[in-house]
Amino acid sequence: MRRTRIAGAVLLAGAVTGLAAGPAQAQEYRYWSFWDGKGSSWAYATEGPATVRPADGAVAGFRFAVSADSAAAGKPRAAAGFDAICHGTPAKDGRKRIGIVIDFGTASDAPGGERPPKARTECAQVAEDASAGEALAAVARPLRYDSNALLCAIAGYPKSGCADQVKGAKEPASSASASADAAADGGEAAGGGGGPSAGLVGGVAAVVVLGAAAVWQARRRRG
């Protein structure tokens, strides 16, 4: 088990390091971001869905979009309202209900040849100690991962690709805008302004952790 955990940590570090490398330009990426529902609004998650264990009544959101940092990341467009999502799912002893919002993004953010499905809201009823990632897996299969256990697709979308760089990177913002983005992300962009910002790396790392956790759980069950 210890050897498996170490391997998972190495995979996570390698994936994040690879994403952080890039030209000194505001490179954008197409990826799934993870959000915490805060009342009727959304907050960019500070932990990965594999480590967050929401209480009954929480809402977790996932948005597929193109962005260069967390400050510019598109939020789920549906409201984070638990009552509206889970009103038809009665409470059960020993279980908890988590509202799941899945926003597949816009046509302009879709990979070539694909059309994003309509946004979905689901009420996941899972074990009391379940993570947000386990709640997602309960209602949005098939999930797809890459060889580094990075979450690439939810409910089969997109059909291919995984946190791909988008061609035609935008020119770097002005110094004032860059400083504002850095402050919003809680630090400078990774690599001194090259590649995705710290916020984006954190967001992608979150789904890496989700994938690694799923792989570890599957191996544990087979063992």
Side-chain angles (χ1 to χ4, degrees), residues 4-67:
T4 303
R5 289 177 177 171
I6 293 173
V10 172
L11 286 174
L12 172 60
V16 175
T17 301
L19 285 169
Q25 202 170 19
Q27 178 64 59
E28 293 182 316
Y29 294 80
R30 181 180 284 113
Y31 73 107
W32 281 100
S33 57
F34 174 48
W35 300 81
D36 291 326
K38 302 292 184 182
S40 60
S41 61
W42 295 101
Y44 200 90
T46 57
E47 293 185 59
T51 59
V52 173
R53 300 190 181 278
D56 181 79
V59 178
F62 297 83
R63 169 73 188 267
F64 188 77
V66 172
S67 68

Side-chain angles (χ1 to χ4, degrees), residues 60-189:
F62 297 83
R63 169 73 188 267
F64 188 77
V66 172
S67 68
D69 54 48
S70 60
K75 300 177 181 180
R77 289 166 291 178
F82 174 80
D83 291 339
I85 297 171
C86 289
H87 69 278
T89 304
K92 289 185 179 179
D93 290 339
R95 308 283 286 178
K96 65 181 178 183
R97 295 169 299 165
I98 307 299
I100 302 291
V101 174
I102 307 169
D103 188 333
F104 295 91
T106 65
S108 62
D109 287 342
E114 294 198 54
R115 176 176 294 182
K118 292 182 179 180
R120 293 169 48 181
T121 59
E122 304 284 352
C123 186
Q125 193 162 63
V126 290
E128 290 180 329
D129 64 346
S131 67
E134 290 169 324
L136 174 66
V139 297
R141 293 178 180 172
L143 305 180
R144 177 169 57 83
Y145 303 93
D146 73 355
S147 59
N148 290 320
L150 173 65
L151 179 63
C152 307
I154 296 176
Y157 181 82
K159 294 179 181 178
S160 62
C162 196
D164 296 332
Q165 291 186 1
V166 177
K167 294 181 179 180
K170 295 180 179 178
E171 291 298 322
S174 64
S175 298
S177 297
S179 297
D181 287 344
D185 288 340
E188 296 180 356

